Amino acid sequence: MCAARNIRVLTAKISLDGHDRGIKVVSRMLRDAGMDVVYLGTHLTPETVIRAAIQEDVDVIGLSFLSGEHLACVGKFAELMKEHGLDDVLFVVGGVIPRQDVPLLKELGVDEVFPAGSLMEEIEDYIKTALSHKKTKEIE
């Protein structure tokens, strides 16, 4: 019998946004919840993050935005995910994101948005629930 592997999460900051305290806290919290977390750092290109996601065989990609670039960056990132066959990877974003932008981010391909002030348990529970639903759909 094969043992189930831990949920693998990749977290990163793309573009010029260098404020990383929040993503480091979330990364640590997910690690403490038993997930394998790869934190790539700041000032990354979308292509760098996609390559790392493929190499690390992740279940979740989490991007953090604090500088207002979320709408400009997310569409291209979601397209790259599709181009590289990462349709089965959960895509979440967080940070300083106005609530009115959440529906547009989801239209662009984000699975869930966690604005500043989101509870850590909410993020952890969403990831676990969403991944279990994805796996159930794959089996059907």
Side-chain angles (χ1 to χ4, degrees):
M1 188 158 107
C2 241
R5 72 178 178 106
N6 291 343
I7 295 171
R8 296 185 55 78
V9 181
L10 183 144
T11 58
K13 295 188 68 71
I14 59 176
S15 78
L16 300 176
D17 184 0
H19 302 282
D20 63 354
R21 179 169 287 174
I23 195 166
K24 286 179 176 176
V25 168
V26 170
S27 296
R28 190 171 302 118
M29 179 275 309
L30 294 174
R31 182 203 63 204
D32 291 348
M35 298 181 198
D36 294 335
V37 180
V38 177
Y39 171 61
L40 292 182
T42 61
H43 307 295
L44 301 168
T45 65
E47 292 82 6
T48 299
V49 176
I50 294 293
R51 276 194 307 275
I54 293 166
Q55 290 171 351
E56 295 290 341
D57 190 26
V58 299
D59 303 300
V60 183
I61 297 173
L63 300 181
S64 171
F65 297 96
L66 296 173
S67 63
E69 295 179 294
H70 53 281
L71 292 176
C73 295
V74 162
K76 177 180 180 175
F77 193 85
E79 284 177 27
L80 283 171
M81 285 182 68
K82 286 180 184 165
E83 286 175 21
H84 288 87
L86 297 175
D87 298 330
D88 60 334
V89 175
L90 198 63
F91 180 27
V92 297
V93 299
V96 179
I97 298 173
R99 299 240 182 243
Q100 65 265 22
D101 291 349
V102 172
L104 181 53
L105 289 168
K106 288 185 176 185
E107 282 179 33
L108 292 171
V110 173
D111 291 301
E112 191 58 80
V113 179
F114 297 99
S118 296
L119 300 174
M120 295 299 179
E121 296 81 19
E122 182 182 0
I123 299 168
E124 178 186 343
D125 290 345
Y126 174 79
I127 289 172
K128 289 178 178 177
T129 302
L131 287 177
S132 70
H133 287 295
K134 278 190 178 239
K135 290 180 193 235
T136 302
K137 286 182 181 178
E138 289 172 9
I139 294 171
E140 293 174 352

